[in-house]
Amino acid sequence: HADLAMYEAKAKGRNTFHFYSQELDAAANERLYIENELRIAIKEQQFKLHYQPQVNSESLEVIGYEALIRWYHPEQGFIPPDKFIHIAEATGLIVELGEWVLEEACTFSMQLQGVGKAGSMSINLSARQFKDDRLISTLADVLKRTKMPSHLLHLELTESMLMGDVEAAITQLHEIKKLGVALSIDDFGTGYSSLSYLKRFPVDMLKVDRSFVKDIPEDQNDMEITAAIIAMAQKLQLQVVAEGVETREQVDFLQKNNCYVVQGYFYSPPIAQSDVEAFCDALKQRI
Ligand code: C2E
Ligand code: MG
Ligand code: MG
Ligand code: MG
């Protein structure tokens, strides 16, 4: 029996190993595949931006939009950003892709401003873009080329991007602020940010991460954390946006805790450029 058990354990171990190595192969292959396809996608312009409205839940006014990248692959169909942004980041392709996002979103924002639908335009920056020496000149070029008013451009950064070399991050943040561009901390509360640094970062806005919002009003802890983040933002004179708001109850809770700007499926998912104007008009009918 002992021998048999040993044999079984070994066989199982081998199988397990075999299984994992196959999984690793598959992951490595997928990564390589995405990397190759990304290069082609940039050349062939397979990307689009969708825009998610940020709504003032009291006035039902759209105060801004977040640009979110969409990849429509000719064979694979839609590939979500979580599947490729980290690969674009690791290969450096994100710098080129990020420039396209910036120019495209500013161009669309100018179009919206032209029809009286002004608002901020938020863009997600990746760590690589943030640390890139060319960021400041790229921003300045795009602002000039598109004539985008700099205060309407908001850049979203995450806490982890700011933590490593804090002094270098603070310098870079000040360089961005000199251009008149606004800064937000995205997914706030999920990174390893130090509250003592928060004061030193010249940021304008915190975005409460969806993970804290999604179980309101069932989860008491999440409600307390969310209320504390909002209160802290106000103490530090930062604007606050709640992400991932899906229900009326969540809107009510946020209002009670002095957070009026929300983003989430309750008002709208990210939508195609051609639907944005109609959305703004329709929103007013919801009162
Ligand atoms: P994020 O910046 O935190 O964006 C919010 C994500 O939550 C988006 O996912 C959005 O579609 C989703 N979302 C919004 N409201 C709701 C809601 O009510 N419920 C749920 N379940 N989800 C909601 P998406 O578009 O898949 O983007 C995922 C992440 O990919 C983004 O997270 C951002 O970190 C990154 N990303 C997207 N576009 C870009 C880009 O152009 N550049 C860079 N560097 N990263 C990007
Ligand atoms: Mg974001
Ligand atoms: Mg977020
Ligand atoms: Mg995120």
Side-chain angles (χ1 to χ4, degrees):
H1 281 300
D3 281 355
L4 189 60
M6 175 82 88
Y7 174 78
E8 272 173 2
K10 273 193 183 153
K12 204 170 160 204
R14 257 199 312 274
N15 281 336
T16 308
F17 172 73
H18 189 60
F19 176 70
Y20 280 131
S21 96
Q22 266 181 351
E23 277 212 331
L24 280 178
D25 278 356
N29 280 336
E30 181 177 313
R31 200 189 162 85
L32 209 61
Y33 172 79
I34 297 264
E35 191 180 323
N36 287 330
E37 292 300 306
L38 265 176
R39 292 179 205 279
I40 299 168
I42 292 175
K43 271 203 217 87
E44 298 188 347
Q45 306 186 4
Q46 295 168 8
F47 301 99
K48 274 200 161 53
L49 292 184
H50 276 191
Y51 298 92
Q52 187 172 36
Q54 298 175 333
V55 176
N56 179 316
S57 64
E58 216 171 32
S59 65
L60 293 188
E61 226 117 27
V62 177
I63 63 117
Y65 306 88
E66 178 176 5
L68 293 153
I69 196 164
R70 299 293 177 253
W71 181 6
Y72 297 98
H73 187 276
E75 281 129 42
Q76 308 291 319
F78 174 63
I79 303 178
D82 290 335
K83 278 242 152 60
F84 69 87
I85 289 290
H86 63 288
I87 299 173
E89 166 100 23
T91 55
L93 289 168
I94 193 71
V95 174
E96 196 180 333
L97 197 57
E99 273 187 46
W100 174 79
V101 170
L102 191 63
E103 173 121 22
E104 175 79 9
C106 288
T107 302
F108 178 52
S109 175
M110 288 307 290
Q111 197 178 311
L112 283 175
Q113 291 167 56
V115 294
K117 296 198 161 56
S120 55
M121 181 58 75
S122 293
I123 286 165
N124 293 283
L125 270 200
S126 78
R128 187 101 169 215
Q129 281 172 283
F130 179 64
K131 296 197 172 94
D132 197 287
D133 292 336
R134 290 162 292 179
L135 176 67
I136 303 304
S137 61
T138 299
L139 286 170
D141 285 350
V142 172
L143 289 170
K144 197 169 160 201
R145 236 188 347 259
T146 60
K147 305 193 169 67
M148 175 82 173
S150 59
H151 70 280
L152 292 181
L153 179 61
H154 290 207
L155 298 181
E156 298 191 0
L157 308 148
T158 59
E159 294 159 272
S160 58
M161 288 162 58
L162 301 174
M163 289 319 288
D165 185 345
V166 174
E167 297 310 320
I170 291 173
T171 304
Q172 183 76 321
L173 293 173
H174 280 293
E175 290 299 314
I176 298 173
K177 292 293 301 175
K178 275 192 213 156
L179 295 169
V181 171
L183 293 165
S184 314
I185 300 187
D186 202 357
D187 306 341
F188 188 79
T190 62
Y192 51 111
S193 74
S194 154
L195 294 181
S196 62
Y197 283 128
L198 193 56
K199 269 196 315 208
R200 295 189 53 209
F201 295 138
V203 297
D204 306 280
M205 185 188 284
L206 298 183
K207 297 186 77 177
V208 182
D209 191 65
R210 186 176 85 85
S211 60
F212 301 115
V213 175
K214 75 177 178 14
D215 295 324
I216 295 175
E218 289 80 29
D219 191 310
Q220 195 62 39
N221 285 332
D222 286 346
M223 291 198 281
E224 267 151 37
I225 292 168
T226 300
I229 293 174
I230 297 166
M232 182 188 65
Q234 283 177 333
K235 280 254 156 55
L236 296 174
Q237 291 179 304
L238 301 174
Q239 295 171 59
V240 57
V241 178
E243 294 192 275
V245 175
E246 297 187 357
T247 69
R248 180 77 243 173
E249 288 75 20
Q250 290 165 352
V251 172
D252 291 341
F253 174 84
L254 290 161
Q255 283 187 342
K256 258 190 237 122
N257 287 277
N258 296 315
C259 172
Y260 296 97
V261 181
V262 305
Q263 198 184 325
Y265 296 170
F266 180 68
Y267 289 112
S268 175
I271 51 182
Q273 177 172 322
S274 56
D275 294 330
V276 169
E277 283 184 41
F279 172 82
C280 294
D281 297 331
L283 185 64
K284 280 293 191 183
Q285 313 299 313
R286 281 172 71 143
I287 305 179

